[in-house]
Amino acid sequence: MFERKFVATLIVFTGLVVVPARAQDAPPQDLQSQLAELKGRLEKLEGAPLKSSLSSFNPAMGAALDGTFRSTNGKANFDFRALELNVEAPVDPYLKAWGVITGSNGSPAVDVEEATVETTALPYNLTVRGGRLFATFGRLAHFHDHELPVIDRPLSLDSYIGGETKADGLEASYLFPTPLFVSATFGAYDKIGAENERQDPTTPRPLYEFTYLARLNAYADLGENHSLELGVDSAWTPKRTVVSTLGEDDLHQDTWRTLSGVDLTYRYQPAAGGLYKGLLWGTEVLQNDERRIDPATNLPSRRRPTYAGYSFVEVKAGRRWRGGAMADLTQDQDDDKRMTKTFTTFLTCDVTEFNRLRASYAETLVNAPGPRGHTFGLQWTAVFGHHVHGFRDR
């Protein structure tokens, strides 16, 4: 047995020594031929066409399908709210773009909600975006309906802004080079608000009839588990013509409008609890200052500042479950003595990150004679593909 192992070891040792020696003694012409062969193969690879997928330059696409069931004071209906189709892709190393097309039961049935380009490589911490975008006003106002913490958009935002903050225009943001996160945003738009009818965006008009926005936003970590975010903003329309009718004559009154707001967001996210535990508290207060048309006389009324706002708390109780409550107080812009209070409780089940169910109950109270509003709602939202909004990148 020992002799066999010795012979085998000797054979292996001989191979390791003799074979490299023979390779060194090989004639030079063999090495030259090998190099020539490798050079020929490299030239063929360099000249070959690049193999790529036909969809490699297509933008990322996705969609969100949102539907609700509501029962208000005994009357119920199913509502297909929206199917949002979105595309997003880099244009070049300096620019990215995204678009959102929505189909719904509203008017128009199909609408371009967002069509925005945004810079990605400007110096001095600057970012510029333009096109059709959701103006960066407030905390929740530029969120699409299916991204809100409740089923229905708070009345304070819906009435004072006019739906979502959809606008055609231009925004510029600056990130201050400070240890604390502080950013400033300036914007110019034809108007702010998808359902805001104060201006007609299809009619050319002087620049002083446009709407201008200034927002200051700050964020700070308060220890390991807590954070606080504060925003202050104001949207100003320098001139607006209010038209009323007196008899057979039209009266034109030049005025201006300012919509200002303050929003505060507190987050508790335990470092030891993972991503699925925590608490979110958000509050926003709005002030609207403008001259309105008195519905009783159809004449321009006195300048009337009015106020509205909401506050909500949402608790994460695990990977799937989130629950909370919201209170909304809205002062009527035409009658500052009329106040609408809405109290909502909601429970959200994230079946998966792409499939979400939500139930809510809302009680509406108005300080005027009339019945209360009782609304029970169910919401089902499904997301498929690459569905990302511009506001999530901000």
Side-chain angles (χ1 to χ4, degrees):
M1 176 65 74
F2 175 79
E3 290 83 3
R4 291 181 181 177
K5 290 184 178 180
F6 177 79
V7 172
T9 304
L10 184 60
I11 292 173
V12 172
F13 179 79
T14 305
L16 292 174
V17 174
V18 174
V19 173
R22 288 185 176 179
Q24 293 178 1
D25 295 337
Q29 58 268 24
D30 292 344
L31 181 59
Q32 294 296 330
S33 62
Q34 292 177 6
L35 291 175
E37 183 180 357
L38 290 175
K39 183 178 179 181
R41 291 181 180 180
L42 182 60
E43 290 176 350
K44 289 181 180 180
L45 290 175
E46 290 178 344
L50 178 64
K51 294 182 179 180
S52 62
S53 171
L54 293 177
S55 62
S56 59
F57 293 101
N58 288 341
M61 303 180 66
L65 178 61
D66 187 42
T68 63
F69 168 81
R70 289 187 187 84
S71 177
T72 303
N73 295 341
K75 296 182 179 180
N77 72 301
F78 285 99
D79 183 17
F80 160 67
R81 293 216 296 186
L83 173 64
E84 290 186 3
L85 301 176
N86 74 285
V87 294
E88 183 183 30
V91 178
D92 53 38
Y94 315 101
L95 199 68
K96 67 178 180 179
W98 66 86
V100 179
I101 300 175
T102 302
S104 66
N105 288 332
S107 179
V110 179
D111 187 31
V112 178
E113 286 205 327
E114 294 184 73
T116 310
V117 293
E118 182 179 275
T119 62
T120 58
L122 287 182
Y124 307 111
N125 297 332
L126 288 171
T127 300
V128 176
R129 66 185 65 89
R132 174 162 293 182
L133 46 82
F134 277 23
T136 313
F137 182 91
R139 175 61 189 166
L140 294 180
H142 55 268
F143 278 43
H144 287 201
D145 286 345
H146 69 273
E147 298 285 350
L148 295 172
V150 291
I151 294 179
D152 294 314
R153 183 169 293 271
L155 179 62
S156 54
L157 302 181
D158 203 32
S159 60
Y160 275 52
I161 294 174
E164 300 157 333
T165 60
K166 186 173 74 172
D168 294 347
L170 193 68
E171 280 187 356
S173 300
Y174 174 69
L175 180 61
F176 290 88
T178 58
L180 184 69
F181 177 91
V182 180
S183 66
T185 301
F186 302 93
Y189 324 89
D190 56 357
K191 67 172 185 175
I192 294 179
E195 301 168 10
N196 178 9
E197 298 180 351
R198 293 174 177 83
Q199 302 284 9
D200 182 5
T202 62
T203 303
R205 58 190 187 276
L207 290 177
Y208 54 72
E209 294 187 9
F210 279 47
T211 298
Y212 301 91
L213 169 71
R215 175 174 174 82
L216 191 65
N217 192 72
Y219 172 90
D221 287 320
L222 307 178
E224 190 177 45
N225 302 324
H226 309 270
S227 65
L228 196 65
E229 186 174 357
L230 175 66
V232 181
D233 42 31
S234 182
W236 181 47
T237 306
K239 182 178 178 181
R240 184 172 72 90
T241 302
V242 177
V243 181
S244 61
T245 301
L246 180 63
E248 298 180 354
D249 299 325
D250 289 339
L251 301 179
H252 293 72
Q253 179 80 37
D254 291 338
T255 183
W256 49 265
R257 183 202 184 200
T258 302
L259 179 63
S260 304
V262 178
D263 57 272
L264 181 68
T265 304
Y266 163 78
R267 295 179 181 87
Y268 167 67
Q269 187 76 52
L275 296 175
Y276 305 114
K277 293 182 181 180
L279 181 143
L280 175 66
W281 170 55
T283 297
E284 186 169 3
V285 178
L286 303 174
Q287 183 204 55
N288 183 65
D289 188 358
E290 68 173 323
R291 187 185 298 275
R292 309 271 296 178
I293 296 294
D294 190 330
T297 63
N298 201 33
L299 294 174
S301 64
R302 62 179 176 84
R303 178 166 295 280
R304 179 183 288 115
T306 55
Y307 298 86
Y310 66 85
S311 183
F312 75 95
V313 175
E314 184 177 48
V315 178
K316 294 182 179 180
R319 188 183 69 83
R320 291 188 176 182
W321 297 100
R322 291 176 287 136
M326 172 181 283
D328 182 274
L329 279 70
T330 302
Q331 193 176 15
D332 194 304
Q333 298 171 71
D334 293 314
D335 183 2
D336 53 6
K337 297 180 180 179
R338 183 183 177 91
M339 176 75 72
T340 301
K341 304 176 182 178
T342 306
F343 302 96
T344 306
T345 59
F346 55 90
L347 180 64
T348 302
C349 176
D350 294 310
V351 182
T352 66
E353 60 179 316
F354 308 106
N355 182 10
R356 186 184 66 216
L357 301 173
R358 178 176 289 149
S360 71
Y361 175 78
E363 185 92 4
T364 302
L365 309 173
V366 182
N367 61 344
R372 295 184 175 184
H374 311 275
T375 301
F376 171 74
L378 294 173
Q379 180 185 25
W380 191 0
T381 304
V383 175
F384 46 97
H386 179 79
H387 189 70
V388 176
H389 292 296
F391 56 77
R392 286 195 175 275
D393 298 334
R394 301 198 290 272

